[in-house]
């Protein structure tokens, strides 16, 4: 249990650090949030589910779009991460953060900024797909390979 | 490169707002935000703006400091404003030039949305500026603790948050080192299309990722060596106590919110 708590804390820190590192492109209706690649981690580690939730929560506090983004974003990510965990044996694991984020985040960005819904939904879905299939997928295959060799990855 | 990121944004002062209970500050911020969404007129916004000035005065922070916090989102605010001005229709035509057409309704909605976002951000940053991250997580843990009845892991979540906040600066520093090391080896982070660029980040992300996992392993060993076994029976150095000023702040904020909604 302690191992899981510590690892979840570090995954959350990783998410926040990467978001902050690339902050000009991490927020808003047109965003490319590279840290979202970590949303596929629940495939291998269940503790990544709360970690992603916390990561998004704290990142969005720094992001400065306010409470709606903080709570909305983190809850959507929590649901997406949990679906990824449930679907961890098939392709749905990768699709859940792409589709859920794309369609739900844009829902509240639409209410928050009053921007056209389909525009936001499309822009977020594309950026999520780029990050998750471009980085998340190779990351998971890499980890699957190394998991048996390196004890700290178990 | 990362020096301009102000983590936690917390600024320590001795002020009435700083000394309020973090739980009450979280609740008040939530109430004010709900209020912002129920406001129907510019007068309401004006009163909310006046209220935030009042709060800033009592938190002994300066207004320019808070306004500076708006800088990273200025693009989004302007973007929202222009999208509405150009595409939202209704009311009289104010300006027409070739394909550009500005109508009264668009200008009004644009300004309305932009003001709302700006105020939302100001209220939230006031919370993070006057409450240290540790106080915030403490507050969240106690606010979530009634959920322990349904086996919600409130303590574990708060612990993860504390760990996350503690390790952000460490990982940022590490990222900077890896970035330099990979650049020295000829890694290219600046060219190519979007997908290419995202993939070019892998040489930065993988080492960062592995180092984080290694740290988690060490941290878990350290925690267990100190007999950490979760929240059960753990005591605190500083207990949270609600004072009279906390209730007063709640009542004033509620009155303000009800007032601006009724205007």
């Amino acid at each position: 249990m302690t191992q899981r708590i510590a690892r979840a804390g570090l995954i959350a820190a990783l998410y926040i650090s990467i978001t902050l590192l690339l902050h000009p492109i991490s927020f808003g209706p047109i965003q490319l949030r590279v840290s979202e690649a970590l949303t596929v981690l629940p495939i291998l580690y269940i503790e990544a589910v709360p970690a992603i939730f916390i990561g998004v929560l704290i990142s969005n506090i720094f992001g400065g779009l306010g409470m709606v983004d903080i709570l909305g974003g983190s809850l959507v990510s929590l649901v997406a991460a949990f679906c990824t965990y449930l679907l961890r044996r098939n392709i749905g694991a990768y699709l859940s953060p792409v589709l859920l984020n794309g369609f739900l985040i844009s829902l509240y960005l639409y209410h928050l900024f009053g921007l056209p819904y389909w525009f936001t939904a499309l822009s977020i879905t594309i950026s999520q797909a780029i990050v998750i299939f471009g980085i998340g997928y190779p990351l998971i295959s890499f980890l699957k390979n190394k998991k048996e060799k390196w004890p700290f990855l178990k | 490169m990362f020096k301009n990121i102000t983590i936690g944004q917390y600024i320590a002062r001795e002020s009435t707002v700083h000394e309020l209970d973090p739980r009450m500050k979280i609740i008040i911020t939530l109430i004010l935000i709900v209020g912002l969404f129920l406001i129907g007129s510019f007068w309401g916004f004006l009163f909310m703006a006046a209220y935030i000035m009042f709060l800033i005065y009592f938190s002994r922070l300066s207004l320019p400091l808070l306004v500076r916090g708006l800088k990273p989102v200025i693009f989004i605010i302007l973007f929202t404003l222009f999208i509405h001005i150009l595409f939202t229709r209704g009311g009289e035509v104010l300006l027409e030039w070739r394909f550009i057409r500005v109508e009264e309704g668009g200008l009004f909605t644009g300004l309305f949305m932009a003001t709302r976002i700006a105020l939302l951000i100001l209220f939230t940053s006031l919370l993070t500026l006057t409450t240290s991250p540790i106080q915030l997580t403490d507050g969240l843990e106690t606010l979530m603790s009634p959920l322990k009845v349904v086996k919600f892991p409130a303590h574990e979540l708060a612990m993860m948050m504390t760990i996350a906040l503690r390790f952000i600066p460490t990982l940022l520093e590490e990222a900077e080192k890896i970035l330099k090391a990979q650049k020295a080896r000829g890694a290219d982070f600046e060219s190519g299309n979007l997908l290419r660029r995202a993939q070019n980040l892998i040489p930065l992300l993988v080492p960062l990722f592995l180092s984080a996992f290694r740290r988690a392993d060490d941290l878990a060993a350290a925690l267990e060596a100190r007999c950490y076994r979760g929240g059960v029976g753990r005591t605190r150095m500083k207990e949270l106590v609600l004072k009279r000023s906390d209730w007063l702040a709640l009542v004033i904020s509620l009155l303000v919110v009800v007032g601006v909604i009724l205007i």
Side-chain angles (χ1 to χ4, degrees):
Chain A
M1 192 60 195
T2 314
Q3 167 94 29
R4 283 180 195 263
I5 293 180
R7 190 176 284 165
L10 261 299
I11 296 176
L14 201 56
Y15 185 101
I16 302 158
S17 311
I18 299 173
T19 311
L20 292 178
L21 211 61
L22 306 166
H23 70 105
I25 52 170
S26 292
F27 299 100
I30 306 172
Q31 52 171 269
L32 185 70
R33 197 184 266 201
V34 177
S35 43
E36 280 290 312
L38 298 180
T39 53
V40 292
L41 281 180
I43 296 176
L44 296 174
Y45 307 101
I46 184 176
E47 59 270 33
V49 177
I52 299 296
F53 170 70
I54 294 169
V56 178
L57 187 90
I58 298 175
S59 303
N60 288 1
I61 293 180
F62 294 137
L65 290 189
M67 203 57 106
V68 186
D69 193 37
I70 297 171
L71 293 177
S74 50
L75 287 177
V76 171
S77 303
L78 180 66
V79 174
F82 193 64
C83 291
T84 303
Y85 171 71
L86 290 179
L87 301 168
R88 62 188 175 281
R89 294 190 206 292
N90 59 48
I91 182 80
Y94 298 94
L95 288 177
S96 114
V98 174
L99 296 178
L100 285 176
N101 279 30
F103 288 95
L104 295 179
I105 302 270
S106 42
L107 197 65
Y108 72 73
L109 283 182
Y110 160 74
H111 280 288
L112 196 61
F113 302 113
L115 293 176
Y117 175 72
W118 287 108
F119 164 75
T120 329
L122 197 70
S123 116
I124 294 185
T125 309
I126 294 175
S127 80
Q128 287 289 99
I130 291 178
V131 172
I132 282 163
F133 290 104
I135 302 176
Y137 184 75
L139 184 69
I140 290 291
S141 355
F142 172 81
L143 286 173
K144 270 184 186 158
N145 267 331
K146 302 285 181 196
K147 212 179 166 188
E148 295 311 312
K149 283 185 213 153
W150 294 338
F152 65 91
L153 287 180
K154 278 217 178 92
Chain B
M1 156 174 203
F2 311 127
K3 302 285 181 285
N4 50 5
I5 302 171
T6 48
I7 293 168
Q9 302 170 301
Y10 173 62
I11 294 176
R13 291 276 152 86
E14 274 179 29
S15 81
T16 330
V17 179
H18 281 74
E19 276 158 24
L20 288 176
D21 191 292
R23 289 171 291 179
M24 206 49 114
K25 275 193 266 190
I26 296 171
I27 295 174
I28 289 174
T29 312
L30 282 174
I31 294 174
L32 289 171
I33 282 163
V34 172
L36 279 179
F37 275 88
L38 296 175
I39 287 176
S41 70
F42 274 112
W43 286 109
F45 283 143
L46 206 65
F47 276 96
M48 277 303 220
Y51 187 53
I52 198 162
M53 294 298 168
F54 171 81
L55 289 176
I56 292 170
Y57 175 76
F58 276 100
S59 62
R60 298 180 57 198
L61 296 170
S62 65
L63 183 63
L65 187 83
L66 264 103
V67 173
R68 222 182 303 148
L70 286 175
K71 226 195 245 164
V73 281
I74 199 84
F75 166 76
I76 296 168
I77 295 180
L78 289 178
F79 183 75
T80 311
L81 183 65
F82 283 115
I83 288 274
H84 280 290
I85 288 181
L86 294 177
F87 297 109
T88 306
R89 298 275 166 257
E92 268 178 62
V93 179
L94 298 175
L95 183 91
E96 198 163 8
W97 182 72
R98 296 200 187 162
F99 58 92
I100 295 173
R101 196 178 145 101
V102 178
E103 291 181 11
E104 208 181 48
L107 186 67
F108 183 80
T109 321
L111 286 174
F112 197 81
M113 290 286 177
T115 319
R116 181 152 86 190
I117 299 169
L119 284 174
L120 262 176
I121 292 162
L122 285 178
F123 276 120
T124 324
S125 26
L126 193 64
L127 175 70
T128 48
L129 281 168
T130 60
T131 321
S132 74
I134 298 295
Q135 277 182 318
L136 266 183
T137 46
D138 256 9
L140 280 175
E141 181 177 351
T142 26
L143 281 179
M144 291 187 299
S145 56
L147 293 170
K148 275 180 188 161
V149 182
V150 287
K151 295 218 168 145
F152 182 81
H155 165 77
E156 284 76 6
L157 271 184
M159 187 71 188
M160 289 172 197
M161 264 189 219
T162 317
I163 294 176
L165 288 168
R166 157 66 185 80
F167 277 95
I168 297 168
T170 318
L171 290 184
L172 279 176
E173 207 184 300
E174 191 128 314
E176 199 172 4
K177 272 188 208 150
I178 298 171
L179 203 71
K180 279 182 188 156
Q182 299 290 40
K183 271 189 182 164
R185 293 184 177 90
D188 177 15
F189 295 108
E190 270 119 32
S191 58
N193 61 24
L194 223 50
L195 186 67
R196 196 72 254 147
R197 261 189 214 206
Q199 278 183 327
N200 285 349
L201 285 170
I202 292 180
L204 166 69
L205 296 180
V206 169
L208 191 63
F209 189 90
L210 291 178
S211 120
F213 267 59
R214 239 182 236 128
R215 275 178 203 281
D217 211 41
D218 292 347
L219 181 66
L223 277 166
E224 266 170 9
R226 287 165 179 76
C227 301
Y228 172 78
R229 20 167 211 136
V232 189
R234 196 167 171 223
T235 53
R236 293 172 177 285
M237 193 166 149
K238 284 182 187 155
E239 297 275 349
L240 294 175
V241 191
L242 285 173
K243 300 174 296 290
R244 197 183 295 166
S245 53
D246 294 311
W247 294 107
L248 189 66
L250 179 70
V251 172
I252 295 176
S253 304
L254 271 176
L255 286 177
V256 169
V257 169
V258 173
V260 292
I261 294 171
L262 291 180
I263 285 177

